Amino acid sequence: MSSLGIKQQFRKEGRPSNSRHNSHLSMLSGRSASMENGHILSGTTSAISEHADEATSLLSRPFTKPDGKPLWEDDRPYVKWPAYFGLKTWQTLASNYVNVFLVFVPLGIISGNVGWSPTATFILNFLAIIPLASLLSFATEELSVNLGQTLGGLLNATFGNAVELIVSIVALKDGQIRIVQASMLGSILSNILLVLGCCFLVGGVRYEEQTFNGTVASTMSSLMAVSTASLIIPATLYAVMKQSNADIDKDQNIEILSHGTAVILLILYVLYLVFQLKTHAKFFDEEENLAEHGDGEADTENQGESEEKEVPVLSPWAAGVALVIITVLVAVCAEYLVDSIDSIVETAHISRTFIGLILLPIVGNAAEHVTACVVAYKNKMDLAIGVAIGSSMQIALLVTPSLVILGWIIGQPMTLHFETFETVVFFLSVLITNYLIADGKSNYLEGAMLLGMYTIIALAFYVYPDDVPKGTGPGALFPGSS
């Protein structure tokens, strides 16, 4: 299944039931298409017209006249456009449960403007970014529907981890390299250990054993192994150069290596998109694979699903405007969030590494974390695997190299030289994950293993000091080898 298809189906599963299955709300949203005389009736207006007598739910009444006619079909512009705007706003807000946290967006901005305590500012903006991340994903999905599979896949790749990217750009601009590196590593670890572990555990409680597309998992895990090497090589090189007596600029050499590696990783990610969306798309299409193997039940189910044409809630212009507005709000909240980190470190005695590696990844992925567990419980493991491993791969091959290139442009020493302990943790995490998904099967015990590993790592970074010397290389782990 392509990245666009995974994202669309994944987020549809995570929407509240009343926004996906309720017939009245489905009519309003235009997402359902009824079949009459072999023709598909789609779109908001046609669906409402066919079922005007049924539009009596509480959700539709504010946008419906007493006679059942939709207000957005009124000839008066001052009635039509406010009703249309209100309907689309409601449909957007009803796209995910976490949007109830939107009340924290104005509170977080006010807190940062009027100078409330750093702790209050951090917590309010922390909670504010969670629903904004959900809305950003929703707007991206809506815009992708109108762009086709290839452009839609590229858009999802770009905005799929936009929250982490925005927070990291703000921190990078302020020179907080440790926050940026920890946030990138934390996003990867939270996806391949926490999210995947929860999926295996939740699904394994209901099903004795679950299966998923082994080809897709193998391809993704191989790329993750390459990204692991991109962190191990700079750390090892720095340790070697530190022991050398030659008159060399170690930091400059590491920057040169990081810049070149970042470019190569970006090229690999582009090639992966071509591999996934064009040349080898059939290996990623679960439905097509089932059809080729003659699964009669799957064929019938997929044929029924293909009759339902997905109609976007938002028009391309509306989705684009929403994308811009939400991105600006995320940037504002991220600015206040990052500015309050120093005070949080001093008052709460929490290290920057712990904040970046454990706390910040929760902000950008909370909505998808919950949805991943829902789809795993429904035995749709390919969706869960595709998003958990796919998001980690985007961070490793797209977002992190992009930040290295951006740091190069703005003059910040952002490199792929992570601390030795972080590099070892990353390597072990990817190694364990690759072992567990290699057979294309999962159970609750494997989920417990991943969650246990993540808990151990979280405890380790909770006591991990911020003042570890940058030159602490792999040789420090084996003192006798020097």
Side-chain angles (χ1 to χ4, degrees):
M1 184 180 296
S2 68
S3 60
L4 176 58
I6 288 176
K7 291 287 187 180
Q8 288 175 347
Q9 188 174 352
F10 182 82
R11 285 167 188 147
K12 281 178 67 180
E13 292 293 333
R15 288 181 188 142
S17 58
N18 62 349
S19 68
R20 294 189 295 113
H21 302 299
N22 184 285
S23 61
H24 307 311
L25 192 54
S26 296
M27 287 189 302
L28 290 174
S29 65
R31 282 192 174 272
S32 62
S34 58
M35 298 292 297
E36 292 191 5
N37 300 323
H39 299 286
I40 298 178
L41 300 178
S42 60
T44 302
T45 305
S46 60
I48 294 294
S49 299
E50 290 292 326
H51 305 279
D53 57 331
E54 298 182 13
T56 57
S57 67
L58 293 175
L59 298 177
S60 63
R61 285 178 184 174
F63 311 105
T64 308
K65 294 180 180 180
D67 59 359
K69 184 178 180 181
L71 286 173
W72 56 87
E73 292 183 356
D74 196 289
D75 295 332
R76 296 166 294 179
Y78 59 87
V79 174
K80 174 182 179 179
W81 293 111
Y84 181 81
F85 178 78
L87 173 67
K88 295 304 175 182
T89 301
W90 164 248
Q91 292 170 346
T92 302
L93 295 178
S95 62
N96 201 296
Y97 294 111
V98 300
N99 291 338
V100 297
F101 287 101
L102 283 171
V103 295
F104 293 105
V105 175
L107 293 176
I109 296 176
I110 292 173
S111 175
N113 274 325
V114 302
W116 291 356
S117 69
T119 302
T121 301
F122 180 87
I123 294 176
L124 290 174
N125 285 282
F126 181 89
L127 295 174
I129 294 179
I130 293 176
L132 290 177
S134 172
L135 289 178
L136 192 63
S137 298
F138 176 79
T140 303
E141 173 198 341
E142 293 299 305
L143 190 57
S144 300
V145 173
N146 298 280
L147 296 179
Q149 178 169 296
T150 302
L151 290 179
L154 291 174
L155 186 67
N156 272 308
T158 304
F159 285 93
N161 295 286
V163 173
E164 293 94 330
L165 184 61
I166 293 172
V167 173
S168 298
I169 289 176
V170 173
L172 182 63
K173 176 178 63 69
D174 294 341
Q176 300 201 39
I177 307 299
R178 293 294 302 124
I179 292 292
V180 177
Q181 291 181 330
S183 177
M184 293 298 97
L185 181 60
S187 295
I188 297 174
L189 295 182
S190 68
N191 277 293
I192 65 176
L193 296 180
L194 178 61
V195 179
L196 198 59
C198 288
C199 291
F200 286 177
L201 183 63
V202 171
V205 169
R206 187 178 185 185
Y207 302 95
E208 181 179 357
E209 186 176 75
Q210 294 177 291
T211 59
F212 46 86
N213 191 326
T215 302
V216 175
S218 176
T219 303
M220 291 182 174
S221 51
S222 298
L223 287 170
M224 287 300 298
V226 173
S227 67
T228 305
S230 70
L231 298 188
I232 294 177
I233 292 175
T236 307
L237 176 63
Y238 191 92
V240 172
M241 291 190 299
K242 186 180 179 182
Q243 297 176 6
S244 174
N245 295 325
D247 186 16
I248 56 177
D249 190 340
K250 296 184 288 293
D251 292 333
Q252 183 179 3
N253 288 345
I254 290 296
E255 288 186 18
I256 294 174
L257 173 63
S258 297
H259 297 159
T261 304
V263 172
I264 294 173
L265 291 178
L266 290 173
I267 293 175
L268 286 176
Y269 187 75
V270 172
L271 290 176
Y272 169 72
L273 289 180
V274 176
F275 183 86
Q276 182 190 45
L277 299 175
K278 287 291 185 182
T279 61
H280 292 70
K282 63 179 181 180
F283 295 117
F284 294 83
D285 194 333
E286 178 190 7
E287 288 77 10
E288 184 175 333
N289 291 336
L290 291 174
E292 289 179 354
H293 287 82
D295 191 332
E297 294 182 2
D299 292 344
T300 303
E301 181 180 353
N302 294 331
Q303 183 178 0
E305 291 180 357
S306 64
E307 294 177 351
E308 182 177 344
K309 182 179 179 181
E310 173 120 359
V311 179
V313 171
L314 302 177
S315 66
W317 279 105
V321 171
L323 203 61
V324 172
I325 294 175
I326 297 168
T327 302
V328 171
L329 290 175
V330 171
V332 172
C333 292
E335 182 77 36
Y336 293 132
L337 181 73
V338 173
D339 289 344
S340 62
I341 287 179
D342 288 336
S343 299
I344 289 291
V345 170
E346 296 177 0
T347 57
H349 304 291
I350 300 176
S351 67
R352 289 179 176 82
T353 305
F354 182 80
I355 292 176
L357 195 137
I358 303 299
L359 297 182
L360 293 186
I362 297 176
V363 171
N365 299 316
E368 288 189 347
H369 287 186
V370 176
T371 308
C373 295
V374 173
V375 298
Y377 187 76
K378 296 179 179 179
N379 201 26
K380 298 183 178 181
M381 290 304 297
D382 281 303
L383 290 178
I385 292 289
V387 171
I389 306 296
S391 294
S392 299
M393 195 176 59
Q394 285 182 358
I395 293 291
L397 299 181
L398 176 65
V399 179
T400 302
S402 299
L403 290 171
V404 172
I405 300 299
L406 179 61
W408 185 13
I409 294 174
I410 66 178
Q412 292 288 353
M414 173 65 186
T415 68
L416 294 175
H417 178 206
F418 285 54
E419 300 294 348
T420 303
F421 181 67
E422 298 170 3
T423 305
V424 171
V425 164
F426 183 36
F427 169 75
L428 293 176
S429 301
V430 173
L431 181 66
I432 293 173
T433 304
N434 287 354
Y435 272 130
L436 294 182
I437 67 176
D439 60 351
K441 301 176 182 179
S442 66
N443 52 61
Y444 73 88
L445 180 59
E446 293 180 349
M449 293 179 191
L450 293 175
L451 291 176
M453 183 67 180
Y454 186 79
T455 304
I456 294 172
I457 292 173
L459 290 174
F461 278 104
Y462 182 76
V463 298
Y464 185 80
D466 277 332
D467 57 351
V468 175
K470 187 68 175 178
T472 305
L477 301 176
F478 310 101
S481 63
S482 314

